[in-house]
Structure formats: C-alpha cells, structure tokens
Amino acid sequence: MIGFFKYMKGYLRIKVWGFSPERFMNLCSNKGILLWDIVRDEDAYCMNISISGFYKLRPIVKKTGTRVAILQKYGLPFFLPVMQKRKIFLAGMILSVAFWMWSSLYIWDIEISGNYQITQDMFYSFLEEQQVTIGLPQKELDIEELEKEIRREFPQITWTSARLTGTKLRIEIKENDAPIITETEEGDQGGKDLVSEYAGTIVSMIVRNGVPLVSIGEQVEPGMVLVDGKVPIYNEDGTIREYQYVQADADIMIEHTRNFQEKLPFDYVKKEYTGRIRKRYFLRVGEKEWKIPQDRPFLVYDSLIRESRPLIFQKLSIPVYLGTVTHREYLNVEYEYTLDEAKELLNEKLMIFLTSLQEKGVQIIEKDVRIDTNGGMWVVEGSFLVREPAGKSVDTLLPDAETVQSGE
C-alpha cells in the first residue's frame, strides 16, 4: 500500500557523489527528507527520493559539496504527460476499460452442474423459454424466481441453487436418485409369453417361470410361443378353474442358420490433397460471427475450422472467439481395389459381424465363407450354423371365457 501511494505521488532515482555523500544523507534525515533503497556504487550512492524532497536539496548540496543527478523518474506524474502525447493509445485504454465495465453488467456464460437425468439440451431449452440467455443484463435476472421455475418445471429436482459469479451464471441442481415406481393400471393382470424370433431347433431349455409349450429337439418357427405366461389352476375333477398370469422366464438356446452378405465396389474415389491452402479469419461473439469476405478458394476443397478463446475473455466468461478457416484443395482420384485389398476390407466387415454375434452370446458351430465377384462388385457371403439365446417377451393372449369352466 505504501508503494502505491509513492507511485501516485511520484519519485526519483538519484545518484549522489562528491566531497561528503554521508553528510548529505544525514542532513536529509535531519530535514525530514525521506531516502530509501540506498545502494553504494563505488564512491557514489544511488537512492530514491520523493519529488517534493528533491526540490529541498539545493541548500544541502551546497553545504556538503556534493553533486546530484537524476537516473530515473517513476510514478503517475511522469506517466500522464507521456500518455497525453500518445492519444490513440490513451483512447484505446479508456475504451478498453469502458468495455470491461460495460460487459461486466451482462451474463456471458451459463454453467449447469448436477444434472444426470435432465440433459443439457433440455435445460438450455427451458432457460430460453424463461428468456435466460447469454447476453441477458444481470439486473433483469430474478434468481429466486428462476429457482422456483426450475423446481416447478422438473419435479425430479429436489434442490437447486443459482448464483452469479462475475459474468457467469452458475446453476447447481440435485436430482432425486430414488427409483421411480410405476404403478400398474388397475385391472391389468396380464402375463408375458416368450416367443421365438427364429426358425430352428431347440437344443437346450431351462424354464424358471411359466408353462413350456415346446421341448428340446423340436423345430420352431418365428412367432411361435415357447413358454406360456398363463398357468392353469385345475379343479379336483381336472377341469381348468382359472389362469394365473406370470412373467414367463426361461433360458432357451435355438440352433439355426444365419446368413451374411457384404458388397464392395471394384473402384473407389480417394481424396488427394494438392498442398494448396487458403486461410480465412473470423471473429465470433456469442452467436454472431464475422468473416473476412473471400471468393470461392478452389473448385474442390474441404475446410478445417480452428478457434481459440483469448485468456482474458475466458477469465471474464465473455464468449469472444478468434479463429481461422483453412481451405485445402484436393482432387478426386479413382482407384481400383486389388484382390488383397478387397479381401482385407471384406474380412474386416465380416469380423465386425462375428464380434457382434459373440457379444450377444451366440455360439458359432459351423461356418462357410466365400469371396467372389458379381455385377462389378466384390461380394463376401457367409452361412453360419449358430446357437443363440431365444425368447422374446410379448403380452399373453387372454383365453376366451368359454374355455374356462367355473367348476361349480
């Protein structure tokens, strides 16, 4: 703080030499003239002195037979005259300060944290409906009302907090992490059946819930019910009194054939860059963007966009970005796949198919794969004998009333 006041008043760095520099410093002390940062330089001394103190040195210099020279001037009184000569720089500095003061009155960034069930897009859409957007004057934001609207719009939010940090609006929320229980509609007592998705042979079957309608070794067709979700309850005379509806549950493996086919054209087009590029600069503030006008750079080209946010704007949370658009010229060159290249690409697609089967728990028993040409294309075809889990859950069909006897 003392250094700040010294800078505001201004001070000098002087050099003192001659008959008796030590006596010079003693007399300054007696006169109340402050000297600091005193450094000896051979037979001379360098020190700092205030501007007012410097004007009191004339009688002391005569009495001690010393000489004084100014080495450097510091402080605001010396800085302002220099700035008056640099009018453009001074005007720019004043405008910059005015810009920072003006921009600090607006919201330039919105940060949302704590949301897991509610996506960022949903939350930003809600804020737009509430007219809380980037560029909103801070005085127009009612934080308490915004918090109420958030809790009213999203019932799963149990706690919310909104606050302004500089030019950034921080919204923190906490969602209800308790499981949401869906109530079953009254009167809905239907069960679930397991039906086959494929045509094949059942090779294993373990039923945990429901009534099995097929057995191991039996041929099934797509849509055929494997496990029934309605369990009959019999009377003493063997007639069906009613049905109990359950969720059919079973581990069923079906052996069937899966086919695979993938095609690859003989020729393909590849980009080859010529090395010619053109750059275009742009400035983006929020949603608005300004680019340097430019004609179409090349006949065929692609564009690489790079943008950066100056650190000072990042610290102030002001969405100002500088960037370049690099246009790169290329030529579309036609090539033709060789046999080895075609085999490699088709085998990659085949491996992706087989990997997807293994991730689903499918066992491959036999396979027959061949690569051939057909109609100007490379074709890979495969036939796979597989064993895979089956049993798609569907609603149980309710029986007709006539089929259930009362037993009275």
Side-chain angles (χ1 to χ4, degrees), residues 355-391:
T355 301
S356 67
L357 292 183
Q358 292 175 355
E359 291 175 350
K360 297 175 183 177
V362 179
Q363 304 173 14
I364 300 175
I365 309 302
E366 296 179 2
K367 60 181 178 180
D368 180 19
V369 181
R370 59 187 180 276
I371 297 177
D372 204 347
T373 59
N374 184 14
M377 306 185 78
W378 295 99
V379 181
V380 58
E381 294 180 324
S383 178
F384 302 91
L385 181 63
V386 300
R387 291 179 181 177
E388 65 178 298

Side-chain angles (χ1 to χ4, degrees), residues 160-179:
T160 180
S161 172
R163 69 181 188 274
L164 284 169
T165 306
T167 59
K168 178 183 289 187
L169 173 62
R170 296 180 183 271
I171 301 176
E172 298 178 7
I173 64 174
K174 185 176 181 181
E175 299 172 340
N176 184 9
D177 52 3

Side-chain angles (χ1 to χ4, degrees), residues 16-31 33 56-68:
V16 180
W17 73 98
F19 179 72
S20 181
E22 293 81 3
R23 189 183 177 200
F24 169 86
M25 290 185 284
N26 289 332
L27 290 176
C28 286
S29 179
N30 294 334
K31 296 289 186 179
I33 301 173
K56 300 176 183 179
L57 292 182
R58 184 180 296 274
I60 297 175
V61 170
K62 287 182 179 181
K63 185 177 292 188
T64 58
T66 54
R67 300 181 63 183
V68 177

Side-chain angles (χ1 to χ4, degrees), residues 84-103:
Q84 290 177 357
K85 298 178 182 179
R86 301 179 180 178
K87 295 181 180 179
I88 296 178
F89 176 80
L90 183 60
M93 188 172 65
I94 294 173
L95 289 175
S96 298
V97 173
F99 172 74
W100 302 136
M101 294 176 64
W102 170 80
S103 63

Side-chain angles (χ1 to χ4, degrees), residues 36-56:
W36 71 93
D37 289 347
I38 302 172
V39 178
R40 183 167 184 172
D41 184 11
E42 295 181 354
D43 295 333
Y45 289 87
C46 297
M47 63 200 72
N48 294 339
I49 187 172
S50 64
I51 298 175
S52 59
F54 179 78
Y55 287 119
K56 300 176 183 179

Side-chain angles (χ1 to χ4, degrees), residues 134-268:
I134 291 175
L136 175 72
Q138 295 184 11
K139 64 180 181 181
E140 296 183 9
L141 176 64
D142 188 342
I143 291 182
E144 292 185 3
E145 184 64 26
L146 176 61
E147 292 175 346
K148 292 179 182 178
E149 289 296 329
I150 291 174
R151 290 191 292 268
R152 188 179 296 117
E153 179 70 17
F154 303 103
Q156 62 269 48
I157 293 179
T158 58
W159 175 86
T160 180
S161 172
R163 69 181 188 274
L164 284 169
T165 306
T167 59
K168 178 183 289 187
L169 173 62
R170 296 180 183 271
I171 301 176
E172 298 178 7
I173 64 174
K174 185 176 181 181
E175 299 172 340
N176 184 9
D177 52 3
I180 300 175
I181 301 175
T182 40
E183 298 181 358
T184 306
E185 293 183 6
E186 187 177 353
D188 182 12
Q189 300 178 351
K192 295 287 184 179
D193 295 341
L194 292 181
V195 300
S196 175
E197 305 105 301
Y198 323 105
T201 305
I202 295 178
V203 293
S204 68
M205 186 172 184
I206 300 175
V207 179
R208 286 183 288 272
N209 210 9
V211 180
L213 300 183
V214 293
S215 58
I216 296 174
E218 187 173 341
Q219 294 285 332
V220 295
E221 297 295 331
M224 185 174 178
V225 178
L226 306 178
V227 180
D228 197 352
K230 57 181 184 295
V231 180
I233 299 176
Y234 296 93
N235 294 310
E236 293 181 357
D237 59 359
T239 60
I240 298 175
R241 184 177 64 192
E242 61 180 346
Y243 287 101
Q244 180 181 358
Y245 295 95
V246 299
Q247 304 282 333
D249 185 17
D251 292 336
I252 304 171
M253 295 291 287
I254 292 182
E255 186 174 285
H256 69 106
T257 301
R258 269 185 175 268
N259 296 316
F260 172 79
Q261 185 184 70
E262 193 70 42
K263 296 180 180 181
L264 185 70
F266 281 159
D267 51 8
Y268 64 97

